């Protein structure tokens, strides 16, 4: 119990709940910008609490039909860039983003830049 209370104290002292919201807002804004671009693979369903964000790869912009093959390609391209992504979902179409709440803004932006590169249609 003492360890659990110490963790809760650290979360409060370091403002990690507010940090999670700020990181999530920053990530969602980038993903929403990606969603509107025609030079990137179509994504939809951006969701998640705080910094734990997920989105789906879909077959067409504005559509909802899952594209598991595209998600597999994006995760492989991201790995080539040094970014590890987790795919999941019934059809393997969902990509989940989860990073430490202590990540710097610069490192988060670098990761999102690499994600953008992985989503680019070539």
């Amino acid at each position: 119990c003492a360890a659990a209370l110490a963790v809760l104290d650290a979360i409060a002292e370091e403002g990690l709940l507010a940090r999670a919201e700020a990181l999530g807002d920053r990530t969602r804004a980038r993903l929403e910008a990606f969603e509107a671009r025609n030079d990137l693979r179509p994504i939809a369903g951006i969701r998640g609490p705080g910094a734990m964000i997920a989105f789906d790869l879909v077959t067409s912009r504005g559509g909802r039909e899952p594209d598991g093959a595209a998600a597999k390609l994006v995760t492989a391209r991201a790995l080539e860039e040094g970014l590890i992504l987790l795919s999941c979902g019934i059809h393997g179409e969902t990509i989940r983003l989860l990073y430490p709440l202590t990540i710097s803004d610069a490192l988060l932006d670098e990761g999102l830049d690499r994600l953008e590169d992985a989503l680019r249609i070539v």
Side-chain angles (χ1 to χ4, degrees):
C1 288
L5 290 173
V7 168
L8 293 175
D9 287 343
I11 289 170
E13 289 168 9
E14 296 177 27
L16 294 181
L17 293 178
R19 180 68 178 154
E21 288 300 320
L23 290 169
D25 290 347
R26 187 181 194 106
T27 301
R28 269 188 286 287
R30 283 288 299 272
L31 291 174
E32 288 167 2
F34 294 169
E35 188 175 24
R37 291 177 47 188
N38 291 324
D39 63 326
L40 301 179
R41 294 190 176 280
I43 66 171
I46 301 165
R47 59 196 178 276
M52 187 173 67
I53 306 293
F55 62 93
D56 299 325
L57 275 288
V58 292
T59 57
S60 63
R61 201 154 319 284
R64 296 292 302 159
E65 185 176 339
D67 192 345
K72 186 173 184 175
L73 178 67
V74 168
T75 58
R77 289 183 66 198
L79 186 57
E80 290 172 3
E81 295 295 321
L83 181 66
I84 299 171
L85 296 176
L86 174 65
S87 64
C88 58
I90 295 173
H91 305 282
E93 77 282 7
T94 301
I95 294 182
R96 290 188 353 194
L97 305 177
L98 186 59
Y99 33 81
L101 300 180
T102 55
I103 192 172
S104 69
D105 289 345
L107 189 56
L108 177 63
D109 288 341
E110 181 181 338
L112 292 171
D113 290 344
R114 291 179 185 200
L115 173 60
E116 179 179 3
D117 290 340
L119 287 168
R120 189 164 280 113
I121 298 171
V122 290

